[in-house]
Amino acid sequence: DGSMVYVVNQNTANVSVITTATNTVTATVPVGLAPRGICASPDGSKVYVANRNGHSISVITTSSNTVTATIADLGGPWGITVSPDGSKVYVTNIDSSTVSVINTATNTITATVGVGLNPTGIVVTPDGSMVYVSNSGGNTVSVIIALSFSVTATVTVGTNPYGICVTPDGFMVYVANDNSNSVSVIATSSNTLSTTVSVGAHAYGVSVSPDGTKVYVTNSGTNTVSEINTSNNAVGATITVGTNPVAFGNFISPHSAGIPLLNDISASVSCYPNPNNGIFTLHSQLSIPNSQLIITDVLGRTIYQQTINFSTQSSIDISKCDNGVYFYQLSNSNEIATGKFVKE
C-alpha cells in the first residue's frame, strides 16, 4: 500500500524499515549475512530477504517487523521475486547456478531448477506463467515454465546481464547488460531477442513504469539513467545522477505522474482478441472523440494510422502485416491510451 519501504543493508546484515508518512527509519530487522535481494508479498504481509553469504532466506512478518522464518541451505541467494498470487517465491542462487522455488505456505523449498551460469536477476510475468532469469556468467536468460519448473528456452543476450524486468502486459522482457553497455529486449511470445538498445556504460538495474511506456536503466559507469520508450525501444532521455548508480530490482513508484492514461481501472482501452490474426477490436468503457490511432512494430515503424471518432469500440484490420508484436496508441488533445498485442 506504499506505507513502508524495506532496504537491505549488505554490510550490517539487517533490513531498515522506513515509514513513508514520515520518511524515518522506524525499525531495524537483523537477517542473514550479506543480504542482497528483497521482495514483498502481494498482500504486504511478508517481506522475503535473500542472504547471499548466509545461504538463506529470511521471512519478515510486516505486522511485527520480525523474522518469523528462515529457509536455509541455498546456493548463494541473490535475486528474489514472488509470484502474482503470493504462493511461491523464486530465488536465484549465484553459486550453484540454480533457481529455488519456495512454497510460501510452508516456507519450504519445493523445487530446484538448473539455469545458466551465475544467475542474478529474476522476474515473473504478470500472469505468473513464466519466470525469466538473467545469468550474469553465461550471458543468457533462462525461461522457466512455472507450472512444471522446467527451462523451456535459453536466450543469448549481452555480456554480464544483471537487472531484468517485464512489462505490465507481459509481452516484453528487458535485460541490463553490465559489460556490453546495452539492454536486450526479449519478445515473450517467441522467447527470442527482439532488439538491443545501446545505453550508458555498465548498465546494471532496469525497471519499467506501471503504464508500460518507459523503461529506466541505471548506468553505473557513466553516472546516468537512460529512459527507453517501449513503443520504439529508443532512448528518449539520459539523466545524470550520482556516482555509481546500481539500483537492482523494481525501483519505480507504483504511481506515475504525467498525462492521464485511458488504460486506468475505470476507463481501460483493451484489444480483443489478443493474440489475434490481425483483425481485432479496441474496446473502451468511454467514448474518445477525434482520436488518432497509430500502430507501430517493434522497430518503431508506423504500419497503421487513422483518425477516428472512437465510441466504445472500433474494429481494426492489419491482417496483411507480418506476424509479431505490435503497439497501439489512441490519443486526442486531452488523453492517451497505449497497449500491445500479438499477431500470429
Side-chain angles (χ1 to χ4, degrees):
D1 60 7
S3 64
M4 311 294 283
V5 172
Y6 289 76
V7 183
V8 291
N9 303 305
Q10 178 178 274
N11 290 346
T12 53
N14 56 29
V15 170
S16 296
V17 184
I18 300 170
T19 299
T20 58
T22 58
N23 283 329
T24 56
V25 175
T26 53
T28 301
V29 185
V31 291
L33 293 176
R36 290 290 179 97
I38 190 167
C39 68
S41 61
D43 64 4
S45 65
K46 297 288 192 293
V47 166
Y48 300 88
V49 182
N51 305 306
R52 191 255 188 270
N53 292 350
H55 303 288
S56 64
I57 301 298
S58 298
V59 183
I60 299 173
T61 297
T62 58
S63 59
S64 61
N65 282 323
T66 58
V67 173
T68 53
T70 300
I71 304 157
D73 299 324
L74 285 92
W78 188 291
I80 188 167
T81 191
V82 64
S83 62
D85 64 3
S87 66
K88 293 182 287 292
V89 165
Y90 299 93
V91 187
T92 59
N93 298 301
I94 194 169
D95 295 337
S96 61
S97 297
T98 60
V99 167
S100 296
V101 184
I102 296 169
N103 183 321
T104 59
T106 60
N107 287 323
T108 57
I109 299 172
T110 57
T112 301
V113 185
V115 290
L117 185 64
N118 304 134
T120 50
I122 188 165
V123 69
V124 185
T125 55
D127 63 3
S129 64
M130 308 296 285
V131 181
Y132 289 79
V133 181
S134 59
N135 304 304
S136 62
N139 305 329
T140 60
V141 167
S142 297
V143 186
I144 299 172
I145 301 174
L147 188 63
S148 61
F149 306 131
S150 60
V151 174
T152 185
T154 301
V155 185
T156 300
V157 291
T159 308
N160 207 210
Y162 272 96
I164 189 168
C165 68
V166 60
T167 53
D169 56 19
F171 289 165
M172 293 290 179
V173 168
Y174 289 79
V175 187
N177 304 305
D178 183 34
N179 286 346
S180 59
N181 312 326
S182 66
V183 170
S184 297
V185 185
I186 298 171
T188 60
S189 60
S190 59
N191 285 321
T192 57
L193 186 66
S194 173
T195 190
T196 301
V197 184
S198 295
V199 291
H202 296 297
Y204 192 90
V206 61
S207 193
V208 62
S209 63
D211 60 20
T213 62
K214 307 287 186 183
V215 166
Y216 294 87
V217 187
T218 58
N219 307 304
S220 64
T222 49
N223 305 328
T224 59
V225 170
S226 297
E227 177 198 75
I228 299 174
N229 297 314
T230 60
S231 61
N232 56 11
N233 286 318
V235 174
T238 301
I239 306 150
T240 299
V241 293
T243 304
N244 197 31
V246 290
F248 189 67
N250 179 30
F251 51 86
I252 294 180
S253 165
H255 304 288
S256 289
I259 188 165
L261 292 176
L262 287 179
N263 50 4
D264 291 339
I265 297 171
S266 60
S268 62
V269 173
S270 304
C271 172
Y272 295 103
N274 190 8
N276 56 62
N277 62 359
I279 301 174
F280 58 92
T281 298
L282 293 178
H283 175 78
S284 173
Q285 296 175 342
L286 299 180
S287 297
I288 312 169
N290 301 317
S291 299
Q292 182 77 7
L293 174 63
I294 298 175
I295 298 176
T296 58
D297 62 14
V298 292
L299 299 179
R301 298 174 298 193
T302 299
I303 57 97
Y304 184 94
Q305 186 169 351
Q306 182 181 357
T307 300
I308 58 176
N309 283 314
F310 189 84
S311 53
T312 56
Q313 64 181 29
S314 182
S315 297
I316 310 298
D317 185 348
I318 61 162
S319 55
K320 293 183 179 180
C321 295
D322 294 336
N323 292 345
V325 176
Y326 291 90
F327 306 81
Y328 64 83
Q329 175 178 291
L330 188 66
S331 61
N332 59 19
S333 59
N334 297 316
E335 298 164 304
I336 183 173
T338 61
K340 300 178 186 178
F341 63 91
V342 176
K343 178 183 179 296
E344 60 182 19

